[in-house]
Structure formats: C-alpha cells, structure tokens
Amino acid sequence: MTITLDSLEPALSVRQVLTLERVLAGEPEVVAGASHLDRPVRWVHVAEAADVGVMLTGGEMVLTTGVLLAGDEDKQAEYVRSLHRAEAAAVVLGLGRAFPAAPDVMRRAAERCGLPMVVLHRPFPFAELTEEVQSRLVRRKFAAVSLSEAVRTELTALITAGAPLQRLLDEVARHSACPVVVTNLAHRVLGTAGERPAVDDVLRDWERIARQAGGTEGDGWIRAELGGRGERWGRIVLCGYRGDTATGRLLADRAAEALVLHRMLGGGAACSWEEQSAQSLLTDLVSGVVPARQLLPRARAAGLPVNRRTFVPLVVRDGDPARLERLLRLLGLPGLVAELADGATAVLLSLPRDQDAGALAVHFATRLRTETGPDHTVVAAAEPRAAWDDVPTGLREAQHVADAVADSSAVLDLPPVVRLKDVHLRGLVRLLRDDPHVQSFAERELDGLLCETDEDLLSVLRTYLATGRNKSRTAQLHHVSRPALYRRLESIQVRLGVDLDDFEQAASVHIALLAHDAQQQ
C-alpha cells in the first residue's frame, strides 16, 4: 500500500495540544506567550525541579504543579528563564495548593521570554496528557518513517526501470502535494513538477524564491542539496510544503538521494538536466500546444533573459548541441539550445534590443561553419522577434527553412544564415506541405509516376527539373547516354500527360514534385 501525506498524523503544536479533549477537561488558559502557540511539541515532560532546564533538549512541553517554587519569586522567575534557555515549547502549570492562581512573576517572565505559559484551572492527571501526546507523537514519527521508506522504494524502482528525471519529480510532487523545483547552484531551474498553475506561480516569482530557498527554511520552503564526493551541483526545493517541517525534510532528503543516484547511474553530468529542461521548453514552444505566455515563467526560471529583448529563433541542421552551447558561451550570447528531431537543434538567442540581431546571428553561424565545415552544417533562421508571443511562430519558420534545405548537396550554395527568402519556391512548398489542397495537387500531377517501380523515372525527373531542364547535365548525373535519357523523358511525359518543354506544365510538375518530396520527409 502506498502511504501518502493524508495518512500522516499532523504535527502537534502547542495550540493543537491545548485543543485535545483530555486537555480541555482541565480548562486551560493561556496567560503568557499567546503569539507563540504554533511552536512544535517534540515531547511532554513532567518536572518539578527548579533547575529543570538542564534536563531538556528543546521542544518539550513541561508540566508542573510548581510545588517546589511556591513562596520563592526568584526561583519562579529562574524556572521560566531556564525553560527558555533550553528552548522548551511551553510550560503548563496545574493550579492547586501551591498556586491557586497564575503567579505574576512567572507570567511576566514567560511573556518577556516569549514562552507560552498555560494554567489548568481544574485538577488534571498529568499522566493522561503525557500518554495522549506521546502516543500521537510516536504514531506521527512512525508514519513519517514509513512514508520515507515508501518514497525511497518507489523512486529506486523508477530509477531501476530507467525512468527519466521528470517521472521522478512527478512522484516526489505527488507525495509532497506541493510544487517541486530542481536547480543548479546558480538557481537556474533544471526541472519542475506539481500542479501546473502552482508551479507557474512559483516560477513567476522565482528570483525572490530562489534567494529564500538558498537561506533558512520557512513557510514551507524546504530544500536538500544535490551532490556527492564533497561536491555540490544543485538542490531540490519543496515549495510551500504544508506538512510539518520534519516530514518535509525527510521527503526532500529521500528525493535528493534518488536524484543523485539517477545522475550516477545515467553517467551524465548536471548539465544534461539543463539540456532536458531546455529541450522541454523549446519543444513546447515549437509545438504550440502550450501558449507562449504560459511558458514565459519557465523560460525566465531557466535563465533566459526575457525583459526588453530581441529573440532570434534558429534551427541548426546536423549541429551538436554541446558544441552549440560552448559556442554561445564563447561568444557571450544568451540563449537556449535543445535537440529537436531528425538531426535538428533549436537555438533561441535572447539579445538586448540595442544590438544588431541579424549581424550576431551571422557571426554565430560563421563561427560554427568554420568549426564544422560548410558542407556539414546549415543554420536556418526566422526574422528576429521583439515579442515573446511571436517566438513559437519564429521557431517553426526556422524549422521549415532548415527542412527545406535538408539536401546536403545544396549547402555550399547557401549563405551562413538561411532564411525563408533564400529557399524560394522550395521554402514556400515546405510551409504548405500539410495543406490538403497541396497534397491533392501533388498526387494528381504525379499520379502516373507514384508506384514503387517508377522510382528511377521519378529520380530522373527530379534531377532534370532541378538542373533547369538541362539534358546534358541530367544525363551526366545519372550516368546514362543522351538517347537513353531522351527515352526516359519521353516515358515520363507520356505517363504524366504533359509536355516538359512547356514552361507552365514543367513548372506545375516541378511544384508537385517539391510538395511530394516535402511530404515524404
């Protein structure tokens, strides 16, 4: 059975102890320290000794009748001060023969120290209160340990099964019932999990939260360091955890152990998580499934400058993401890099508005092609975007341009940065390839050559049109004689019912062939 937070006993504060049925029977009254009733109670201790503080370790609710303090105001004041020094949670005084009313000396001392002081107006067996609170605390601790072991077991099973980082974080968020964030040491967000609106709220104010997460814990912000062998490389943060702090720390520690193990078994470095984070963000931007405005907090938390910037969407064909990351750092260009699919890598530059975005994109592409060789890399770009909401359209346009020049034989004739205007008709057809009317047009125009046995003729037609209907060049590229080429061209014209010497008919077939090829990629 999976143990969740719903099965945990809540942490017992002084305020909660005072609401227990057995305590209410003693008619409790808070006479001092009323603003500190949310202190957690770690244990309940019955003590009459005046120097009780030396026997405490902190967090105890001390029960006393004050029998050894009656008549000595100095002892009464020192008793309260010793509890304060020992960081006791509260002192409960049973009124009776020793003290028929709350002693003013103790009450004033408790108020000065901020120590909650409670008096019981009716006789009350301290043993009953001790038994009630101790049993609840033991049950809570047992449940917390059980939860800790359940989380460890479930996360280890996921790691063994090869689950990705996101799956582990989702499991941690399910147990903690709050947003979970993983960052590197620079507070750059590497991964998140939890209810999307709550996560977005956290990321929207991430700069402030990151500073808070790096300091002392409070208000449910609980963190655990990630690292090993004396080296820290990140942290996991439970953001706004609503359970008791001790249980939250257990959850954070178990999660940290699992993430470190995940990294070790994966053999990767922390930067691979950064790559996954960038990939998730840019993939969502390209797909358009999530509105760009909703992705803005994620982009900001991932370290991308977004205020008053110019965004340059690039797609690099056959580019190594690690190489692209290094080149961005070398050139001092802020941006995100993520591998998409089919050998394409997205690069989103974020530049100050007073910089020449076009020139910087060309500089980046030129340096990249110098390193890799012009016949190995294509850098496609959309026009710079001044608004974040326009970035998805730009990325898709850059991806279309990169796809349109996927044929490596054309790379040498292209500029360092290829734009839509550079791919002419091929680019337009690529953009329209999914239109049903274009698909229908391509099938209708090429119907006579679309069976498998006609691949050779289709290849000849493709070369003939690409070379500007140059018969000599086409025969040379296909290693056939001119008469053999003429026969094939004649067969193509018969099957298609066209005259390739007619410019309009040849153009129509050419467009249909470009659309057909684009649909196959």
Side-chain angles (χ1 to χ4, degrees), residues 429-502:
V429 171
R430 189 81 193 190
L431 285 172
L432 300 175
R433 64 175 178 171
D434 293 327
D435 188 298
H437 295 91
V438 174
Q439 295 173 354
S440 177
F441 168 76
E443 291 180 4
R444 184 172 63 251
E445 289 290 299
L446 300 175
D447 183 56
L449 290 179
L450 292 183
C451 24
E452 293 183 6
T453 57
D454 295 325
E455 276 299 319
D456 181 58
L457 292 180
L458 207 59
S459 177
V460 169
L461 176 62
R462 186 180 292 111
T463 304
Y464 179 63
L465 295 173
T467 58
R469 296 183 293 174
N470 187 319
K471 294 183 175 69
S472 297
R473 181 61 176 156
T474 302
Q476 181 183 8
L477 290 174
H478 283 270
H479 307 289
V480 297
S481 65
R482 291 281 294 268
L485 175 66
Y486 294 157
R487 287 194 295 271
R488 294 184 187 185
L489 291 176
E490 183 64 29
S491 178
I492 290 171
Q493 293 182 101
V494 170
R495 292 192 182 205
L496 297 182
V498 298
D499 179 5
L500 293 178
D501 289 330
D502 181 88

Side-chain angles (χ1 to χ4, degrees), residues 346-517:
V347 180
L348 179 61
L349 301 181
S350 175
L351 306 174
R353 290 187 176 176
D354 59 354
Q355 293 186 349
D356 189 336
L360 287 174
V362 170
H363 181 51
F364 168 77
T366 302
R367 286 290 300 269
L368 179 62
R369 295 182 70 177
T370 299
E371 291 184 9
T372 60
D375 55 339
H376 288 93
T377 303
V378 172
V379 179
E383 292 302 316
R385 262 52 179 180
W388 174 258
D389 286 348
D390 295 333
V391 169
T393 303
L395 283 169
R396 287 193 290 272
E397 180 182 314
Q399 190 172 31
H400 283 307
V401 173
D403 290 342
V405 293
D407 183 2
S408 60
S409 65
V411 173
L412 291 173
D413 299 326
L414 295 172
V417 176
V418 187
R419 303 185 186 277
L420 197 58
K421 63 182 179 61
D422 298 314
V423 291
H424 306 291
L425 180 60
R426 186 183 298 272
L428 175 63
V429 171
R430 189 81 193 190
L431 285 172
L432 300 175
R433 64 175 178 171
D434 293 327
D435 188 298
H437 295 91
V438 174
Q439 295 173 354
S440 177
F441 168 76
E443 291 180 4
R444 184 172 63 251
E445 289 290 299
L446 300 175
D447 183 56
L449 290 179
L450 292 183
C451 24
E452 293 183 6
T453 57
D454 295 325
E455 276 299 319
D456 181 58
L457 292 180
L458 207 59
S459 177
V460 169
L461 176 62
R462 186 180 292 111
T463 304
Y464 179 63
L465 295 173
T467 58
R469 296 183 293 174
N470 187 319
K471 294 183 175 69
S472 297
R473 181 61 176 156
T474 302
Q476 181 183 8
L477 290 174
H478 283 270
H479 307 289
V480 297
S481 65
R482 291 281 294 268
L485 175 66
Y486 294 157
R487 287 194 295 271
R488 294 184 187 185
L489 291 176
E490 183 64 29
S491 178
I492 290 171
Q493 293 182 101
V494 170
R495 292 192 182 205
L496 297 182
V498 298
D499 179 5
L500 293 178
D501 289 330
D502 181 88
F503 177 79
E504 185 175 340
Q505 294 184 52
S508 181
V509 172
H510 193 188
I511 293 171
L513 186 57
L514 290 176
H516 169 75
D517 290 345

Side-chain angles (χ1 to χ4, degrees), residues 119-139:
V119 296
L120 300 174
H121 288 279
R122 293 177 62 86
F124 182 85
F126 284 167
E128 291 187 9
L129 173 58
T130 303
E131 179 184 10
E132 175 76 10
V133 175
Q134 313 298 48
S135 63
R136 285 176 178 262
L137 291 174
V138 169
R139 289 199 302 271

Side-chain angles (χ1 to χ4, degrees), residues 198-211:
V199 172
D200 287 344
D201 286 343
V202 168
L203 296 184
R204 202 168 285 116
D205 198 20
W206 180 247
E207 289 186 9
R208 179 188 65 80
I209 291 173
R211 289 194 297 272

Side-chain angles (χ1 to χ4, degrees), residues 107-392:
R107 184 181 54 78
R108 289 196 298 270
E111 193 64 48
R112 284 195 298 271
C113 294
L115 177 71
M117 178 175 176
V118 182
V119 296
L120 300 174
H121 288 279
R122 293 177 62 86
F124 182 85
F126 284 167
E128 291 187 9
L129 173 58
T130 303
E131 179 184 10
E132 175 76 10
V133 175
Q134 313 298 48
S135 63
R136 285 176 178 262
L137 291 174
V138 169
R139 289 199 302 271
R140 180 179 63 83
K141 290 182 178 180
F142 175 77
V145 171
S146 298
L147 172 64
S148 172
E149 290 306 309
V151 171
R152 174 185 278 137
T153 299
E154 291 174 13
L155 294 181
T156 301
L158 289 174
I159 294 171
T160 303
L165 171 66
Q166 188 60 54
R167 182 68 184 86
L168 270 65
L169 296 183
D170 289 341
E171 190 67 17
V172 175
R174 184 176 70 83
H175 281 288
S176 62
C178 71
V180 175
V181 177
V182 174
T183 75
N184 61 15
L185 295 181
H187 305 303
R188 179 173 174 179
V189 174
L190 307 181
T192 62
E195 294 292 332
R196 196 72 253 167
V199 172
D200 287 344
D201 286 343
V202 168
L203 296 184
R204 202 168 285 116
D205 198 20
W206 180 247
E207 289 186 9
R208 179 188 65 80
I209 291 173
R211 289 194 297 272
Q212 180 177 1
T216 57
E217 294 175 351
D219 298 328
W221 305 105
I222 299 174
R223 74 185 189 281
E225 302 297 329
L226 303 176
R229 299 178 181 175
E231 179 185 4
R232 291 188 304 115
W233 42 265
R235 59 177 57 90
I236 181 170
V237 186
L238 307 186
C239 304
Y241 177 72
R242 289 173 296 188
D244 65 285
T245 302
T247 303
R249 287 199 190 104
L250 275 176
L251 279 170
D253 288 343
R254 294 297 83 77
E257 290 174 2
L259 295 185
V260 171
L261 180 60
H262 182 273
R263 177 189 172 189
M264 291 173 58
L265 293 181
C271 65
S272 66
W273 288 0
E274 294 179 359
E275 292 168 3
Q276 291 178 37
S277 175
Q279 183 177 35
S280 173
L281 174 60
L282 292 183
T283 299
D284 285 346
L285 279 169
V286 171
S287 69
V289 173
V290 182
R293 189 160 298 278
Q294 292 184 22
L295 297 172
L296 189 58
R298 286 171 58 187
R300 184 183 290 112
L304 186 73
V306 295
N307 295 329
R308 298 184 59 80
R309 310 291 285 192
T310 297
F311 301 101
V312 183
L314 305 173
V315 170
V316 181
R317 175 65 63 179
D318 298 326
D320 175 32
R323 182 192 294 274
L324 297 176
E325 283 273 15
R326 288 195 298 271
L327 184 56
L328 287 183
R329 289 195 296 269
L330 178 64
L331 299 178
L333 297 176
L336 295 178
V337 176
E339 189 171 6
L340 298 178
D342 301 325
T345 301
V347 180
L348 179 61
L349 301 181
S350 175
L351 306 174
R353 290 187 176 176
D354 59 354
Q355 293 186 349
D356 189 336
L360 287 174
V362 170
H363 181 51
F364 168 77
T366 302
R367 286 290 300 269
L368 179 62
R369 295 182 70 177
T370 299
E371 291 184 9
T372 60
D375 55 339
H376 288 93
T377 303
V378 172
V379 179
E383 292 302 316
R385 262 52 179 180
W388 174 258
D389 286 348
D390 295 333
V391 169

